[in-house]
Amino acid sequence: MVLPRFQDQALWPIYEKVAAGSRLHREEGLSLFHSPDLLGVGALAQMVRERLHGRKAYYIYNQHLNYSNICVNGCKFCAFGRRAGEEGAYELTLTEIFAKVKARLHEPITEIHIVGGCHPDLPFAFYVDMLRGIKALRPQVHLQAFTAVEVAHVAEKAGVSVAETLAALKDAGLGSLPGGGAEVFSSRVRENLCPTKLSPQGWLEVSQCAHRLGLNTNATMLYGHIETLEERVEHLLKLRAAQDETGGFLTFIPLAFHPHNTALSSLNGPSAVDDLKTLAVARLLLDNFPHIKAFWVMLGPKLAQISLCFGVDDVDGTVMEERITHMAGAQTPQGLSRAQLRALIREAGCEPVERDTLYRVIEP
Ligand code: V47
C-alpha cells in the first residue's frame, strides 16, 4: 500500500485510525479543521470514500419545487423567507404546483424535492393534497419533501403529534425528508441567528421519528457565518450519535453560507479551502453516514467536481429551478443536464452513477 505524504505531521496518528477503521473523536475533528494540510485532510477522506464507494460518484435526475417562501421564523442567514404580506412573498396554489410538475412530465425525473417556509396559516390539508396530487400526476416519483422544521411547524399548527403528521404525509406519498433546517446545533449561534426556530433537539427528534416510521432523511449544516470550528465539530458529533440510534440518515450535505440579501451581508461566506475541508472532515467524522453530498448549486459545479477528490461521493442533481441559494446571491446555473453532470464526474476520475433518492442505481 502506498502511504500518503503529509505536510502536517499531526495527521499521522489520525491516518493510523482511519486506516484501521476506528472512530475519530472531537479533538481529532478539530485537528483536521485546524490543519494547514488541505491535501492531507483530503487524502484521509478519500481513504474512507474509496472504501465505501470505490470510484463511483452519484447524481440524480431531480426537480426542486419551493411552494412558498412565507415564513414565521425570520432567520438572519436567509434571503428566501418573507413575512406574509411583505414584498416578494409568494405562495403557489395547488394548481400552480401541479402545473410545474406537469410541465416536466416528459423528463425522466425520479425525485421531486419540495421545501417551503414555516407558513403561518396554510391548512394541514394543503400539504397532504399537494403530495397526493403530485403522486397522481407522477406515480413513480419519489417525494423528498418538508424539512424537519416544516414538519414540526405543520404538526404544531394542526395540533397533532409529529408522528401522526409524518404518518399522514407518508400515507399521501411522502418518501423521505430533505436535510434542511438543521443550521448549526449551537445555542449561541441560534440565539443570534434564528432564536424562534425549531431547536436542535426538536430537529433531531423529528428526524429520528421519521426513521422509526421507515422514512429516510438527510442532514445538513449551514457553515461559514458566525459559527466556530468547535461548533461545527459538535454539530457533526450530534448527528453521528443520532445516527447510531436510528440509522435512517442517508446523506450529509454541508451548506456553504451565501450572504447576499441577508441580514449578514457584511460577511464573506466560506472560502474554497474551507468548503473542501468541511466536506472532508464530515466524511471522516460521520463514519456511520453512507453518503456525503456536495450540493453543486451552492458550491458551484467546479468546486463540486474537485470535492469528489475530498471525500464526496454525490453531487446532487439536475435541479432546474432553485430559489433559496439564488436569492442569496448564488451565481450558479439554475440546472445542469444529465450529460453535464456525467461529464463533470468523469473528468474528476470517477464513474458517474445515476441513482434514485434511496441510492438504487438507475440505468440511464
Ligand atoms: O434549510 C438558507 C439553508 C437550506 C441560506 O437534503 C442557506 O438533499 C446558504 O436543505 N446560504 C435549504 N444556505 C436547502 C437544503 C438542501 C439543499 C440541497 C439538498 C438537500 C438534501 C437539502 O438552505 C435551509 C438552510 O439551512 N440556507 N439560507 C443561505 N443564505
Side-chain angles (χ1 to χ4, degrees):
M1 193 174 62
V2 185
L3 285 177
R5 288 207 210 183
F6 294 125
Q7 282 175 0
D8 178 6
Q9 299 308 307
L11 293 181
W12 279 112
I14 301 180
Y15 166 80
E16 299 293 343
K17 288 185 80 170
V18 174
S22 307
R23 180 159 271 197
L24 301 182
H25 297 303
R26 178 177 285 103
E27 288 65 34
E28 288 147 341
L30 272 175
S31 302
L32 289 163
F33 267 123
H34 284 297
S35 175
D37 188 354
L38 174 67
L39 295 182
V41 175
L44 292 173
Q46 279 304 84
M47 287 167 64
V48 178
R49 180 238 195 274
E50 300 217 350
R51 196 183 294 149
L52 291 172
H53 307 292
R55 299 306 302 158
K56 291 189 174 73
Y58 298 95
Y59 68 95
I60 188 164
Y61 205 122
N62 62 354
Q63 173 177 14
H64 275 224
L65 212 158
N66 299 126
Y67 60 92
S68 171
N69 65 348
I70 298 176
C71 187
V72 296
N73 281 324
C75 304
K76 280 189 194 164
F77 52 76
C78 185
F80 170 72
R82 294 283 186 281
R83 304 281 180 193
E86 200 183 329
E87 199 188 330
Y90 75 88
E91 183 184 312
L92 301 183
T93 62
L94 287 178
T95 310
E96 288 166 331
I97 291 168
F98 300 153
K100 282 187 180 289
V101 175
K102 277 187 202 153
R104 298 187 62 193
L105 278 179
H106 58 285
E107 292 181 56
I109 289 166
T110 60
E111 172 190 280
I112 305 185
H113 174 111
I114 306 171
V115 176
C118 288
H119 195 288
D121 39 43
L122 280 175
F124 194 81
F126 174 86
Y127 301 93
V128 170
D129 293 347
M130 171 167 34
L131 299 186
R132 262 195 222 297
I134 297 175
K135 274 293 208 185
L137 289 169
R138 255 203 128 119
Q140 304 304 327
V141 86
H142 181 108
L143 298 182
Q144 179 165 82
F146 314 129
T147 66
V149 177
E150 286 167 274
V151 170
H153 176 77
V154 171
E156 196 196 319
K157 296 289 309 169
V160 291
S161 70
V162 164
E164 285 168 306
T165 303
L166 284 168
L169 294 172
K170 188 178 178 197
D171 188 55
L174 179 68
S176 62
L177 265 57
E183 320 316 351
V184 183
F185 298 150
S186 146
S187 41
R188 181 193 72 85
V189 171
R190 301 176 80 94
E191 273 158 29
N192 191 329
L193 301 188
C194 49
T196 62
K197 193 165 206 161
L198 180 69
S199 68
Q201 192 53 35
W203 189 95
L204 289 166
E205 276 168 17
V206 174
S207 302
Q208 293 192 300
C209 180
H211 300 169
R212 292 191 180 100
L213 290 170
L215 294 165
N216 285 115
T217 71
N218 288 340
T220 57
M221 173 177 73
L222 180 69
Y223 68 96
H225 43 90
I226 64 161
E227 86 290 0
T228 63
L229 296 179
E230 284 78 4
E231 286 163 339
R232 288 191 203 177
V233 170
E234 256 340 289
H235 184 97
L236 295 172
L237 296 186
K238 280 189 179 146
L239 286 175
R240 187 171 78 181
Q243 178 77 328
D244 277 344
E245 285 172 14
T246 48
F249 289 112
L250 274 179
T251 311
F252 176 70
I253 312 114
L255 300 176
F257 175 55
H258 282 57
H260 200 64
N261 296 329
T262 75
L264 304 175
S265 59
S266 60
L267 301 181
N268 291 323
S271 66
V273 168
D274 195 8
D275 289 329
L276 292 176
K277 211 188 273 178
T278 304
L279 287 157
V281 177
R283 179 60 287 167
L284 288 160
L285 284 185
L286 295 178
D287 53 17
N288 52 7
F289 272 62
H291 302 282
I292 303 291
K293 184 194 286 187
F295 185 39
W296 67 260
V297 173
M298 287 196 189
L299 290 177
K302 292 184 180 186
L303 202 58
Q305 182 182 43
I306 301 286
S307 75
L308 294 171
C309 308
F310 285 79
V312 165
D313 64 278
D314 188 333
V315 292
D316 201 78
T318 49
V319 181
M320 289 306 167
E321 187 184 351
E322 198 278 344
R323 295 187 192 234
I324 299 173
T325 327
H326 285 92
M327 286 175 85
Q331 299 296 313
T332 47
Q334 280 289 336
L336 289 178
S337 68
R338 190 189 246 162
Q340 285 173 312
L341 288 164
R342 293 180 71 83
L344 171 159
I345 290 169
R346 205 169 269 125
E347 214 188 342
C350 295
E351 176 201 342
V353 178
E354 186 165 330
R355 63 165 178 95
D356 68 6
T357 310
L358 304 176
Y359 288 84
R360 290 174 301 211
V361 175
I362 310 259
E363 296 303 337

